[in-house]
Every structure is written in C-alpha cells, then in structure tokens.
Amino acid sequence: MEWLTGPFEVTFVQRALWGGVLVSAICALAGTWVVLRGMAFLGDAMSHGLLPGVALASLLGGNLLVGALLSAAVMTAGVTALGRRPRLSEDTGIGLLFVGMLSLGVIVVSRSQSFAVDLTGFLFGDVLAVREQDLVLLGGALLLALAVSVLGHRAFLALAFDPRKARTLGLRPRLAHAVLLGLLALAIVASFHIVGTLLVLGLLIAPPAAALPWARSVRGVMVLAALIGVTATFGGLLLSWHLSTAAGATVSALAVALFFLSHLASGIRHRRRVHSTGIRPATTD
C-alpha cells in the first residue's frame, strides 16, 4: 500500500495531482468537441503556436501563462479569419499559421541565451513544479471552460453534426466555431505547463477518444473522459515516481495507452455481442 500512496504524501506531488485533475476536466470539455469534429490537427497546430508568446514572455521576464494566452488569441483569431476565405481550405490556413507562429517562436528563442531550460519545460511540461497559484488559475480556467461549455452546448452540438442546420436554427455557426476555438485555446494554455505542448494532445484527445465507445451522449463522453484523464494523471505520476521517468510524458503516454485499451475492450465486447446474438454487421460488395 505504501507503494501506492507514498508518492502522494509529498507536497509537490499532491499539487501535481490536483493540477492534473483540473487539466483533465478542462481537456475533457474541449477535447470532446475536438474528437467529434475531427480537429486534432488544429489542436496540434495551436499547441505549437504558443511558442512565440511564451518565448517573448521569458525573454522580457514576464509571466509565461500570459504569453501563452496572447499567442493562443492570435492563433484563434487567425484561424477564424482564414476560415472565412472560401478559396482557402481550413487545413491550408491552419498549416500556414502553424509554421509561421513556430518559426517566429524559434527566431525569438534564438535571440535568448538562457531559454534552453524554459524551452524544455515548455515542450515537455513540468507537472512537478505546479504551484498553489497555478492551481488557483487552473480552477478559474475550469470554471470558465464549464460556463462556455454549458452556454454553448446546443450550438456546439449542431455545429459538430450539421453546420447547415445550425445556420437554419439561427445558432450562428461562425460565432460558435470561434468560441469553440477559444475553448480549445484555453484548454491548451492550461495544459502546457502540465504535459508540455508536444504532449498536450495526450490529455486533450486520448481521454475523449477512449470514452467515445462507452458513452451514450456528449455529456457522457465528457464525464468519462475526465475520469480517464484523472486516472492517467494518477497512474502517470505514480509510475514516474517509482520508475524515475519524466512525469508529464508518463501521464501523456498512459492516457494514450488507455485509449488503445478502451478500443481493444470495445472490439472484444462487440465480437462477443455478435457471437451471442448471431447478428453480423451488414457488408457491402
């Protein structure tokens, strides 16, 4: 039992666990829509697009979180603006913004002689360095994400399954899309300190994708995704403590492993159901 509870008797590990729990809830709210709408590439691009703001904040001695928020706002505005151009596909616009922001970040980093350590934390996270003020900020971010999710649920749902119907119902799909991008940016900014920008998709996408085969509603996916994220956080911190591995990477890797286990179990359940009922899915020639 000591093996299971011992690491969490240490104060900084407790803070890391609470930080991971809050981030898991935020990522569940935003990540569910990312999975349902197939926006993984956008999430990846936005996470890497934080680099210029974080690098500038570090260079000027400012708050890294504020710099990340500014970069996220630029990315959100850019994706929204480019998405309104009919002759330019959304993927093309996202790709160009991704490369442009990343290049700008590298240029800023090259001007700094002392950013190497901060850059490592930015890319791979530093969950064990979570402070009490970080927990307060994450708590505020969770409340904001929850409010946006509740108020925008109907519009997000229509946007995910039938944007044309959303327009017919007067739900303003363009505005809903912009707000959804803001929710995604909030989740990424909240998460980069925990698992880093290279691994943020582990908590943003893996838990909702793992929950998808088992939940019967969008809200069910969010709740189950949050629980899976918390499980990955607890298990990842525990394994990293005993195996002396990078905590953020272990959390992210465990989240991805839970995704594969979930879909493996779902496939086994489906085969057993087919075997017991004798009903096979229809096939096309």
Side-chain angles (χ1 to χ4, degrees):
M1 201 64 182
E2 177 68 21
W3 186 89
L4 186 65
T5 61
F8 299 98
E9 295 175 359
V10 181
T11 303
F12 67 83
V13 180
Q14 292 175 2
R15 289 198 297 265
L17 178 61
W18 278 111
V21 167
L22 292 171
V23 165
S24 295
I26 297 170
C27 285
L29 293 171
T32 296
W33 299 114
V34 172
V35 171
L36 290 177
R37 295 201 63 204
M39 297 165 58
F41 175 59
L42 174 60
D44 188 40
M46 290 192 69
S47 65
H48 289 76
L50 300 185
L51 182 57
V54 173
L56 275 174
S58 177
L59 191 62
L60 299 175
N63 189 301
L64 299 186
L65 185 60
V66 174
L69 281 171
L70 291 174
S71 278
V74 171
M75 283 292 293
T76 300
V79 170
T80 302
L82 291 176
R84 294 178 179 177
R85 295 185 176 275
R87 295 185 179 181
L88 186 67
S89 70
E90 187 175 38
D91 281 350
T92 301
I94 293 171
L96 291 172
L97 280 171
F98 169 37
V99 174
M101 292 291 283
L102 190 59
S103 300
L104 179 59
V106 172
I107 291 171
V108 175
V109 169
S110 69
R111 297 288 299 172
S112 173
Q113 301 298 321
S114 60
F115 193 60
V117 175
D118 294 329
L119 181 60
T120 301
F122 170 76
L123 294 176
F124 302 108
D126 193 7
V127 63
L128 298 179
V130 172
R131 302 164 299 176
E132 290 185 5
Q133 52 264 46
D134 295 325
L135 295 179
V136 173
L137 289 173
L138 288 175
L142 175 57
L143 291 176
L144 179 58
L146 188 59
V148 171
S149 298
V150 170
L151 294 175
H153 182 80
R154 186 165 172 259
F156 295 161
L157 195 62
L159 187 65
F161 295 103
D162 194 345
R164 288 177 296 181
K165 188 174 182 180
R167 187 176 294 105
T168 303
L169 294 173
L171 294 176
R172 303 179 67 181
R174 286 187 176 179
L175 177 60
H177 181 67
V179 174
L180 185 56
L181 289 180
L183 180 61
L184 174 59
L186 176 66
I188 291 172
V189 170
S191 306
F192 89 90
H193 188 55
I194 304 298
V195 293
T197 57
L198 289 182
L199 304 173
V200 68
L201 292 187
L203 282 182
L204 186 67
I205 294 179
L212 210 55
W214 307 96
R216 297 186 176 182
S217 66
V218 173
R219 290 187 179 91
V221 173
M222 290 178 175
V223 172
L224 187 54
L227 293 176
I228 293 172
V230 170
T231 301
T233 299
F234 180 86
L237 289 173
L238 185 66
L239 289 173
S240 71
W241 177 274
H242 291 291
L243 300 178
S244 299
T245 56
T250 307
V251 169
S252 185
L254 186 55
V256 175
L258 290 174
F259 159 76
F260 285 111
L261 287 174
S262 170
H263 280 261
L264 179 62
S266 176
I268 293 172
R269 182 187 65 167
H270 176 70
R271 285 193 293 271
R272 285 180 176 176
R273 183 175 297 173
V274 170
H275 179 73
S276 62
T277 61
I279 300 174
R280 296 183 178 276
T283 59
T284 57
D285 295 331

